[in-house]
Structure formats: C-alpha cells, structure tokens
Amino acid sequence: MRRVAIIGGGPAGLMAAEVLAAGQDFEIAVFDAMPSLGRKFLMAGKGGMNITHAEPFPDFVARYGSRRAELEPLLASFGPQALREWIHGLGIATFVGTSGRVFPTEMKAAPLLRAWLHRLRAAGVHFHVRQRWLGWTASGALRFATPTGESEFAADAVILALGGGSWARLGSDGAWVPLLAGRGIEITRLRPANCGFDVAWSPYFSERFAGQPVKPVIAVVGEHRQQGEFNITASGIEGGLIYAMSAALRDALEKDGHAVLSLDLAPGRSLARLTADLALPRGRDSLANHLRRRAGIEGVKAGLLRELCRPETFNDMPALAAALKALPLPVVATRPLDEAISTAGGVSFAALDEHLMLKELPGVFCAGEMLDWEAPTGGYLLTGCLASGRAAGKGLLDWLACRDSR
C-alpha cells in the first residue's frame, strides 16, 4: 500500500487528506507539531467563524490582488458555493450575514472541526500530533522530532501545509523556511498581513485613548478606499479597517520608508457642508462644543484632530473642515509578524507546477498559507487555504497515477 504524508493539520492539510481518502486506497498520515489539530483555525473562529464570502465570484477573486491569476483556477474548482455545500455535508448549516460574510449557524469553529476529524478518521486517515518536521534523511525519509526522540517516515508522496509565520504559539512559526530554502526552493520573505501598525502617539493620547474604537470613518491609502472602523492601541492602530489597508500600508513602508493613512472622520458630510457648518458663529461655545454640535466630532475623533493637526488649524475653519475629511495619520512600522492574523510571502508559485508540486522535489506538494499569497479577512483566507489543499490533494493523485502508468 502506498504511503502519503501530510505535514500540517490545519484546513489546507485536512482538505488534502479528505481528497486523498476519497481517491485511492492509501495509508494517509497527517503530522502536526502541536498537541492537537487545527489550533489556528479554532482561534480564528472564537469571534465568530467566518468561513467565506457570498459576493459575486469576479469580486471574490479580485480580493487576492497580485496573486489572483494563481488562485483563480483553484477557487474556480472549489470556491465559496462549493465550500458551503461541503460544510453542509458535514451537517453544519450556514447563513449569509448582512455584510455578505458566510458563517456557520452556531458561529463556532469547534463543531465543524469535530465533525470533519470524525469523518476523516472514519475514512482511515491517521493523525500524529507532537511531531515536528525536521526535513529529510539522506535516503529521502521524512524526519520528525517527537516527545520520545527522532523518528522517520518513508512516504511515496508528501503534501506540506505548514502555515505561514504568524501565531507561532498555535504552530504557524515559519520553521519550514530554511528546510525548503536549503533544498533550493525559491521562497519570498515572510511578512505580516492583516496586521496592526505602530504610530508615534504622544504619551497623553496613548494613555487617554488606547482601546477606544474609531467609527465610522473612511480610510484611504493610494487607490484603496474603504469605510469601517478601527481601534486605537497604546502603540498604534489595529482592527478590521486597518487590516483591509494593511497590504498597501506595509508595501508603502517597505518601498518609501513611510506611509500615511488618510482618514475621513465625517463620512456622512461633504467638505462644503462641514466648511459652512464650522463657519457658523461659535458664540460662547468652546471649540470642543462647536465641533461636537456643528460636525458631530467628539471623543477619540476630536483627540485625533488634536494629536495630528497643527495648532493653527484650529483657528482656520476651512482648514479644520479639510482636516476632518482627509486627516493624515502617519504609521511608522508594522506590528511584529507573530502578531499578524496572516502572512504574506512564502513558497513562490514559480517554484511550483500547475498542480502545486515543487519542481525541484517531485512528489512534494505545497498548500495553504505557506504559499506566496495573501488575502483580507472576511473568509478569503480560509477559502484560499481549503481550495489550495484540495488542489494539492488532486495533484498528488494525478502524479501518482501518471507514475504508475509508466
């Protein structure tokens, strides 16, 4: 019986295992360094398990940015609707939220993972935890560090689904990078994606407003424009709107050494209206009350104006109105990679064939976040991981079938 090893027990690895279990009579072994499977998947689902998005497919694949060309064929084969149907097959109902995001009815990841693992075990998939991959032996066997010492596993084919470099405590630590780089595999440097940023706040602003949400606002970085909300942290900014802008901000920082997020603090009012309203007589009102009454600006938004505008701006109502509509917020650095929700960079698609097999290592396939792609939150990350895991599993089946026919 042929033996297949899958290294990494997250969504991509488990989906590959499912494809293989349904395809042939293999011995399928899934290895994971952590004490249990799917840890990052479970953590991501704690705030509500967002599995995919229901927007039209052309809009959906556009979310993958510069890697759309590589991901679109995978998503065309296993996209949002196919993913929902697959989950329904596990006995998990789903619904579409008002934002278009798709969730399990129970809003939790754990029931889905339990049902999935139960089905895989019933299909004959074997799971091996606390097995940290160390590379290959001289004879080509896989090496693992285990609680009882080093072990080896000889496989006819391998799927690597080792994750990116964020959330190391959950197993996604990027330790695979030197193992593949040492074999001549082209790897793009791992960088934070869907991440927060450092801002040079004054001590007063940091202490006064850390933890507070800023909403609603429109953020602009270059050609990217989106409405939403974000949170002030002691050292900077984070939250959904920031994650949506993180790739553009990160790339600007890397290219130019600086980046600016432009904020519209009054998205429901035009510049002309704000200018006219702020020009009305203030009477005995303080400037703070004038801003609150005439522009709806108070609290953390007023704090941002004070933090980021020159003092003379507050004596010039047209200039103040302009600042409300386009307040420049400089960011100085991304937060560390391990704090990021996901990772950009990884195994280059140039190193892979169309079946996600490494050209330099026949019989070794890659899937999931360890590939060089990124996507925003909102179900795009999970869908991409599952689609690539499915593609790698099918690619492995085709490769073995082709080899057997020779």
Side-chain angles (χ1 to χ4, degrees):
M1 181 182 292
R2 288 173 297 189
R3 307 173 90 200
V4 175
I6 299 170
I7 307 177
L14 296 180
M15 180 56 77
E18 179 157 314
V19 170
L20 295 173
Q24 295 284 341
D25 184 19
F26 295 141
E27 178 185 342
I28 303 167
V30 176
F31 298 88
D32 198 277
M34 303 305 289
S36 59
L37 302 170
R39 289 202 163 194
K40 189 174 180 182
F41 176 71
L42 291 173
M43 179 63 75
K46 281 197 170 182
M49 185 68 239
N50 181 197
I51 54 176
T52 192
H53 203 287
E55 66 190 344
F57 188 71
D59 297 331
F60 186 88
V61 295
R63 306 289 186 174
Y64 296 86
S66 63
R67 289 292 175 264
R68 172 176 176 166
E70 291 84 2
L71 272 293
E72 187 165 359
L74 313 183
L75 296 165
S77 179
F78 191 78
Q81 186 56 40
L83 172 51
R84 291 187 72 186
E85 293 170 0
W86 171 78
I87 289 177
H88 297 162
L90 287 169
I92 306 293
T94 63
F95 72 95
V96 181
T98 55
S99 65
R101 296 186 178 197
V102 179
F103 301 90
T105 301
E106 295 185 19
M107 297 290 290
K108 297 178 181 177
L112 193 162
L113 183 60
R114 282 197 299 269
W116 195 6
L117 292 176
H118 177 76
R119 187 162 77 182
L120 290 172
R121 288 190 178 98
V125 177
H126 301 281
F127 297 107
H128 306 273
V129 296
R130 295 187 173 90
Q131 310 276 317
R132 178 170 292 277
W133 183 52
L134 300 176
W136 290 271
T137 66
S139 62
L142 298 165
R143 297 172 54 217
F144 294 93
T146 79
T148 57
E150 188 170 320
S151 68
E152 299 179 6
F153 185 89
D156 295 289
V158 179
I159 293 177
L160 302 177
L162 289 154
S166 63
W167 297 21
R169 69 188 185 281
L170 302 179
S172 184
D173 59 9
W176 53 268
V177 171
L179 299 179
L180 292 186
R183 290 292 187 110
I185 305 303
E186 180 183 343
I187 297 171
T188 303
R189 178 174 59 89
L190 300 183
R191 299 174 294 160
N194 294 296
C195 60
F197 291 82
D198 288 332
V199 178
W201 299 133
S202 66
Y204 169 80
F205 184 88
S206 176
E207 183 177 346
R208 172 70 177 79
F209 295 106
Q212 294 199 22
V214 184
K215 61 180 180 180
V217 292
I218 294 174
V220 180
V221 181
E223 298 179 353
H224 302 273
R225 177 184 178 89
Q226 186 166 323
Q227 181 166 328
E229 62 182 82
F230 66 94
N231 295 320
I232 303 296
T233 69
S235 63
I237 50 178
E238 65 179 16
L241 185 58
I242 303 306
Y243 303 151
M245 297 288 168
S246 63
L249 285 171
R250 179 201 64 218
D251 292 349
L253 280 169
E254 291 181 351
K255 179 184 177 183
D256 304 321
H258 60 86
V260 176
L261 184 70
S262 178
L263 297 175
D264 180 351
L265 298 180
R269 305 186 188 210
S270 68
L271 176 58
R273 179 185 169 188
L274 279 172
T275 302
D277 288 346
L278 290 175
L280 292 171
R282 209 166 85 190
R284 295 185 178 182
D285 269 352
S286 66
L287 179 58
N289 279 335
H290 189 62
L291 276 169
R292 177 179 57 80
R293 291 178 63 237
R294 301 301 184 187
I297 299 297
E298 58 184 329
V300 66
K301 286 186 176 181
L304 282 168
L305 279 177
R306 291 288 186 185
E307 180 76 1
L308 299 171
C309 290
R310 296 177 180 274
E312 56 267 26
T313 303
F314 296 93
N315 298 319
D316 183 342
M317 292 303 104
L320 187 57
L324 284 170
K325 295 301 290 181
L327 183 67
L329 172 56
V331 301
V332 297
T334 61
R335 294 298 299 159
L337 175 60
D338 193 45
E339 294 181 15
I341 291 176
S342 59
T343 304
V347 176
S348 170
F349 279 92
L352 302 162
D353 70 9
E354 66 273 22
H355 302 295
L356 303 184
M357 185 175 74
L358 290 168
K359 296 174 183 177
E360 295 295 322
L361 297 174
V364 180
F365 297 75
C366 296
E369 200 180 333
M370 70 182 294
L371 302 178
D372 180 17
W373 63 283
E374 62 180 307
T377 58
Y380 307 101
L381 289 166
L382 180 57
T383 307
C385 285
L386 292 170
S388 66
R390 185 174 183 272
K394 291 175 70 66
L396 187 151
L397 288 176
D398 292 344
W399 181 76
L400 286 176
C402 182
R403 193 180 68 168
D404 290 346
S405 67
R406 292 173 183 170

